[in-house]
Amino acid sequence: SPPINVEVVQPLQVTVERVEEVWVGLIRKKRAYWITFTITDPNRTPTDPPSYHILAAVKTRSGRGKVEIESRLGGHAPASLDYSRVAVSMWGNTARVFVLFTPPEGLTEKVMEEVTLSASLARCGVVTTYNGVPIELCPDVLGVEVSPSEARVEPGQTVRATVTSRFPCPARLERISGPGEFGTLYGQGVLSGTYVWTVPSVVCLRAKLGDRHLHGRR
């Protein structure tokens, strides 16, 4: 009888390489996490040519928050971050997949979440490997107080106010826009600092009335 060719396909290996806490957003910054997964294909060797036969998908255990995935590979533009699934290009027998996880808003207590990546061989979709990363999610900032909340000063004088906030998890308190100075604070629990602004001696005002523009100086 003629010989039968049999291909032995070994499961992929998925490992967690790095978890990095970052801040996203321009105005209202939010805590997020970059997670680096490494996919190793034991069916290939380090000297094999580039291949696009690995499929990767990412999700959270509870479905909360937002997960976005990209595949970075030397010389290739990253995949769009609009997807939670991507076709992974491999050099040799390994590839890295970068996942951005943004926790949900409105949490009232600490909860544990898990970000999971699954990888499958495109030519043999039943061979799928999973690996997850546990992440502790914290509630949003529990209030910000500014004292005094209002101040009336003359041009050239200095305004000082105490800014206090309570963070249930390690976080930072910083000024993100507007004039004045406020030193960035890092920590957990109650964070308090002083905001300082010296009002310019000359203040330019601009107002619009109908289609007329009015200018003034003080």
Side-chain angles (χ1 to χ4, degrees), residues 98-171:
F98 299 82
V99 175
L100 178 64
F101 169 57
T102 305
E105 298 182 356
L107 294 175
T108 59
E109 60 183 2
K110 292 183 181 180
V111 296
M112 290 301 299
E113 184 58 274
E114 184 179 28
V115 178
T116 302
L117 181 135
S118 60
S120 303
L121 291 166
R123 70 179 189 275
C124 186
V126 297
V127 181
T128 303
T129 304
Y130 301 87
N131 203 342
V133 179
I135 295 178
E136 183 182 56
L137 304 184
C138 289
D140 295 334
V141 177
L142 301 180
V144 177
E145 298 179 357
V146 179
S147 179
S149 58
E150 296 182 3
R152 182 181 179 86
V153 297
E154 296 294 326
Q157 293 183 336
T158 299
V159 178
R160 286 182 171 83
T162 301
V163 182
T164 304
S165 185
R166 185 158 60 95
F167 294 87
C169 296

Side-chain angles (χ1 to χ4, degrees), residues 25-29 146 163 173-184 195-197:
L26 298 177
I27 303 300
R28 184 183 179 185
K29 292 189 176 181
V146 179
V163 182
L173 181 63
E174 65 177 346
R175 178 181 64 86
I176 59 176
S177 65
E181 299 294 332
F182 183 83
T184 301
Y195 166 81
V196 180
W197 179 44

Side-chain angles (χ1 to χ4, degrees), residues 41-63:
D41 187 352
N43 305 290
R44 294 170 55 86
T45 69
T47 59
D48 282 347
S51 170
Y52 289 85
H53 73 292
I54 301 299
L55 302 178
V58 65
K59 65 178 182 179
T60 59
R61 179 180 56 189
S62 66

